[in-house]
Amino acid sequence: MILKSLKNSHSYLIVIFLIFSIIFFTLIFFTKEFQNIETNNVLYPFLILFSVFLITTFHCIGLNNLIYEKDVIKKPNFVVGMVYLLLTTPFINNLQMVVFSFGLLYFLYSLLEMFKKKKPFSLAFNSSMILSIISIFFPNILLLFPLIIIALIIFGNIDWRCLVISLVAIIVPYLFLWTYQSATNDTLLMPNIELEFQFNLLKIPDFSISEILWFSVLGIIILRSLLELFLWMYKKSIRSRASFFLISFYLLFSILIFLFSKNSESVFLIICPLSIIISNFFVYFKYSKISEFLFLLLLFSSIFYRVSMI
């Protein structure tokens, strides 16, 4: 079956994934949302679509390799990349959030690389720098800063120098920006974190049949994935267990950013940590027929959702 085939590291899977990704994103071209993009440049919508496709595809492959190389999920597989792609189903023109999420992939790499590093100074600096650069465009991303401290605590290498370096790294991009703004007599940009709970984000809209099906399947898989993770966390290796604790916090902070941001598209940031937790369920769940069935439901409901957008 499909899920069983994804539980290996054969190179042909990348080719199959690329073909599926091309087809999956080609469907966007025929959607009403894509056709209604207002622009004076005919090529602009195609550039947006190609950029989203390219960055998302690289993100899927990069995330899959990262999770395997860092022993978060030890079994060789291509499930993580596929799950990430399927979770992007509702999103079509979110180029900005796609770019931010791709940047956070390097943020996650720096955090996971801290494991058993005696002096993770450069990693602390890099992770803070990434958040700082993104915060210029999306200030609420700084709410992920505590993850650096949490990673240092979980991986047992907390050091006051790391904390100082992290804080300095937050300021560095703004120093360059302020220097430029001072030279051009522009107003200095300050990161303005807006924490306002958006009740309208929790209102249930009028869903179509395809949306109800997709969200229902996803909801069941998420609940089962969280249960699988917490029930079997103790059986994982030290590194994998510590990494999943960090990823769980990553998911929690991403949800908080979504709930307390005026930008509803920030929900896209939840996809990365969520796809890792869901993939853990698909890879390790002992009842393979059930996991295979749920994966097929997610796959076909995602395709049905995309097709229904046309």
Side-chain angles (χ1 to χ4, degrees), residues 106-115 117-132 144-145 147-152 155 157-172:
Y106 292 93
F107 170 73
L108 179 60
Y109 167 82
S110 297
L111 296 183
L112 294 177
E113 187 69 13
M114 290 181 182
F115 182 76
K117 286 287 192 303
K118 293 182 179 180
K119 297 180 180 180
F121 303 138
S122 61
L123 296 172
F125 182 88
N126 293 340
S127 55
S128 291
M129 179 75 79
I130 292 169
L131 290 183
S132 182
L144 292 181
F145 180 79
L147 284 178
I148 301 174
I149 302 174
I150 292 172
L152 292 169
F155 294 146
N157 46 19
I158 185 71
D159 189 301
W160 67 269
R161 288 172 293 181
C162 288
L163 299 179
V164 172
I165 290 172
S166 298
L167 292 173
V168 170
I170 289 289
I171 302 174
V172 169

Side-chain angles (χ1 to χ4, degrees), residues 244-260:
F244 268 110
F245 273 123
L246 178 62
I247 291 167
S248 298
F249 278 109
Y250 186 6
L251 176 61
L252 175 61
F253 281 102
S254 298
I255 294 174
L256 290 177
I257 289 176
F258 165 61
L259 292 178
F260 289 92

Side-chain angles (χ1 to χ4, degrees), residues 5-21:
S5 300
L6 292 173
K7 293 180 182 180
N8 61 70
S9 57
H10 295 315
S11 57
Y12 71 84
L13 287 176
I14 297 180
V15 178
I16 295 176
F17 174 78
L18 288 175
I19 295 174
F20 177 79
S21 183

Side-chain angles (χ1 to χ4, degrees), residues 177-188:
L177 179 61
W178 292 336
T179 301
Y180 171 77
Q181 290 178 328
S182 297
T184 56
N185 295 320
D186 289 338
T187 303
L188 299 184

Side-chain angles (χ1 to χ4, degrees), residues 11 37-38 53 62 73 82-83 101 112 161 200 223 233 251 274 292:
S11 57
I37 295 178
E38 296 182 2
F53 157 73
I73 297 178
M82 191 66 179
V83 170
S101 183
L112 294 177
R161 288 172 293 181
N200 59 323
L223 291 176
M233 182 78 82
L251 176 61
L274 186 60
E292 181 77 45

Side-chain angles (χ1 to χ4, degrees), residues 76-270:
N77 69 89
F78 208 82
V79 177
V80 181
M82 191 66 179
V83 170
Y84 184 92
L85 179 63
L86 295 178
L87 292 187
T88 63
T89 298
F91 307 97
I92 293 180
N93 298 320
N94 302 66
L95 179 59
Q96 186 180 57
M97 282 300 163
V98 168
V99 173
F100 292 163
S101 183
F102 187 69
L104 289 176
L105 179 62
Y106 292 93
F107 170 73
L108 179 60
Y109 167 82
S110 297
L111 296 183
L112 294 177
E113 187 69 13
M114 290 181 182
F115 182 76
K116 287 189 175 181
K117 286 287 192 303
K118 293 182 179 180
K119 297 180 180 180
F121 303 138
S122 61
L123 296 172
F125 182 88
N126 293 340
S127 55
S128 291
M129 179 75 79
I130 292 169
L131 290 183
S132 182
I133 294 173
I134 297 176
S135 71
I136 295 175
F137 309 95
F138 183 53
N140 280 24
I141 203 68
L142 291 176
L143 292 176
L144 292 181
F145 180 79
L147 284 178
I148 301 174
I149 302 174
I150 292 172
L152 292 169
I153 294 174
I154 291 176
F155 294 146
N157 46 19
I158 185 71
D159 189 301
W160 67 269
R161 288 172 293 181
C162 288
L163 299 179
V164 172
I165 290 172
S166 298
L167 292 173
V168 170
I170 289 289
I171 302 174
V172 169
Y174 283 94
L175 290 177
F176 285 99
L177 179 61
W178 292 336
T179 301
Y180 171 77
Q181 290 178 328
S182 297
T184 56
N185 295 320
D186 289 338
T187 303
L188 299 184
L189 176 67
M190 300 296 293
N192 181 25
I193 301 177
E194 298 180 352
L195 298 179
E196 182 180 350
F197 186 74
Q198 301 297 309
F199 290 97
N200 59 323
L201 294 177
L202 300 180
K203 291 182 180 179
I204 300 176
D206 295 327
F207 285 135
S208 63
I209 296 178
S210 59
E211 291 172 322
I212 293 174
L213 176 62
W214 190 81
F215 282 109
S216 298
V217 171
L218 181 60
I220 294 172
I221 293 175
I222 290 174
L223 291 176
R224 196 61 192 84
S225 300
L226 292 173
L227 183 62
E228 175 74 13
L229 178 62
F230 293 118
L231 285 180
W232 299 98
M233 182 78 82
Y234 72 97
K235 283 194 172 184
K236 295 185 176 296
S237 65
I238 296 176
R239 178 164 191 167
S240 179
R241 184 163 59 247
S243 297
F244 268 110
F245 273 123
L246 178 62
I247 291 167
S248 298
F249 278 109
Y250 186 6
L251 176 61
L252 175 61
F253 281 102
S254 298
I255 294 174
L256 290 177
I257 289 176
F258 165 61
L259 292 178
F260 289 92
S261 296
K262 292 182 179 180
N263 186 357
S264 60
E265 292 183 352
S266 59
V267 67
F268 194 90
L269 302 179
I270 300 174

